[in-house]
Amino acid sequence: MALPIAITLAVLAFAWPAGRISPRDVSVGIVGTGPASQHAVEGLTREKPGAFDFRLYPDQQAARWAIKNRDVYGAFAISDHSVTVLKATAASPSVAQLLTDVGQQLADKATQQMTARQKAAEQKAAEQKAAEQKTDGAHSPAKAHKQTAAQQGDARPKAAPQGAAGADSSVKVLVKAIDVVPVATDDPRGVVFSSSVFPLTICGILIGAFVTMARGLARPRHRVLTLLVACAVAALGVYLVAQGFLGALPHNHVATWAILALDLLSISATTAGVIRLLGPAGLGLSAALMVFVGNAFSGATSAPEMLPKGVDYVGQWLPPGAGASLLRDTTYFDGNADAGHLAVLALWSVCGLTAVMYGHWVIREPRSKKTGVPASGELLPALPGSGTALSVRRHAHARRHDGDD
């Protein structure tokens, strides 16, 4: 009965966030405070309440700086005849596509409004002209009769005035999209980047389980050293595949490798620490926490702001989500806005390594209860036929417990 419930919850953990992807407080910049910008903000706020968190910038240069600094995902520069979309595909391909679609919607709506205003102006001008002609005809019937006769006698078609064609053609607002921080050319959709998060989590769990359960690693310091070396070597292999073979991590090579190693260490150290404290059951708990919660709520395939409320915070406080965000910041944005994610990974790593080093102090049983040997100074029961008890002290160099000291 427990297994079907666990499977159902696992499917729910992955399917529910994916099925509820929608913008929620996505930080977006607005360039300028003109009427067009104000109308755009009012329209988006009315049509998509809670979808965007708007921030004003004086010009496009300031908006570009904010995008590169990871303050916003993109920005809209809106004028009477054009909409410029500043986006960062490296921050999130799905959000970048969303901003492009929103920019096109703003342009279409502005075109409709301008066309409607133009038609209304033409209709008003025609009504005024008709009213003037009617007024002139009422005051001079003879002149109106001559004009009518002249119009009936002239059967030749007349060319339209030069401004008529321009009045009939509707004005179209153009859309221009500029990718301020693009993804790697070998990974235009960011698929390789987002697909690497899940294998990293699985590899981290496997490293932690192996180090804890290996018979040749009895001493805690040997386990910690093995964790550090294994994560560094595994991260190098991941980087060689992701960048050397697939070209998905093109910038800041040494820092990117270090972040991959830290991501693996935070997961593997946590796994090893939980196993050290709880035994084999800790492996299942670590897998459930990192895979079914951490991976599902990481937002690596979209963005944390695209997930349901609350889920985004949970995912960014776990190593898979924090690691994916930190990897983006390091690879494409020169480490901007990475302090919080770095602190999360460091915290999990330190807690896990501490549990590996000193976990035996928590779970150790008293030696007298575990071995059945009386502690130093205790009295053995009196021997048969003897009325006195014997005092026995433990040997000074008794074998240490489990090699943990």
Side-chain angles (χ1 to χ4, degrees), residues 60-337:
Q60 291 193 25
Q61 188 65 26
R64 287 171 178 265
W65 183 88
I67 293 173
K68 293 180 181 179
N69 202 44
R70 295 289 275 149
D71 293 334
V72 293
Y73 279 93
F76 297 113
I78 305 171
S79 64
D80 293 335
H81 301 288
S82 65
V83 175
T84 301
V85 181
L86 304 176
K87 61 182 181 180
T89 310
S92 173
S94 59
V95 173
Q97 183 60 46
L98 171 67
L99 297 181
T100 303
D101 296 340
V102 171
Q104 185 62 54
Q105 294 174 5
L106 291 175
D108 293 342
K109 180 173 293 187
T111 299
Q112 294 175 0
Q113 292 176 351
M114 293 181 66
T115 302
R117 287 197 298 266
Q118 183 179 9
K119 290 182 178 180
E122 292 176 355
Q123 183 178 1
K124 185 177 181 180
E127 292 176 352
Q128 290 179 353
K129 186 176 181 180
E132 291 176 357
Q133 291 178 352
K134 184 176 181 181
T135 303
D136 294 341
H139 290 293
S140 55
K143 185 177 180 181
H145 178 72
K146 290 181 180 180
Q147 290 179 352
T148 304
Q151 291 176 358
Q152 292 178 353
D154 191 2
R156 292 177 302 173
K158 295 182 179 180
Q162 185 176 359
D168 292 339
S169 61
S170 60
V171 179
K172 184 174 180 61
V173 178
L174 302 178
V175 180
K176 182 180 180 181
I178 300 176
D179 202 345
V180 179
V181 186
V183 293
T185 55
D186 294 333
D187 187 24
R189 299 182 180 178
V191 177
V192 177
F193 183 93
S194 60
S195 300
S196 63
V197 176
F198 186 76
L200 279 177
T201 304
I202 298 299
C203 292
I205 294 173
L206 292 178
I207 291 173
F210 170 77
V211 169
T212 306
M213 299 179 179
R215 293 183 177 181
L217 301 173
R219 295 184 179 277
R221 61 175 178 269
H222 293 166
R223 295 170 182 166
V224 171
L225 181 61
T226 304
L227 279 173
L228 296 175
V229 174
C231 291
V233 174
L236 181 60
V238 171
Y239 181 77
L240 292 177
V241 172
Q243 171 56 28
F245 181 60
L246 299 175
L249 303 173
H251 308 297
N252 302 322
H253 306 293
V254 177
T256 301
W257 165 69
I259 294 305
L260 289 171
L262 180 60
D263 191 9
L264 283 171
L265 180 63
S266 63
I267 298 173
S268 60
T270 301
T271 302
V274 175
I275 294 175
R276 188 76 178 104
L277 295 174
L278 302 181
L283 178 59
L285 179 61
S286 300
L289 179 64
M290 297 298 175
V291 176
F292 299 127
V293 179
N295 259 348
F297 298 165
S298 66
T301 58
S302 56
E305 291 84 358
M306 300 288 284
L307 300 177
K309 280 292 186 182
V311 169
D312 52 346
Y313 294 105
V314 173
Q316 296 304 300
W317 276 99
L318 293 174
S325 299
L326 182 59
L327 191 60
R328 286 188 190 277
D329 298 339
T330 304
T331 303
Y332 290 106
F333 297 91
D334 296 327
N336 292 323

Side-chain angles (χ1 to χ4, degrees), residues 373-385:
V373 179
S376 176
E378 290 185 0
L379 297 178
L380 288 175
L383 296 177

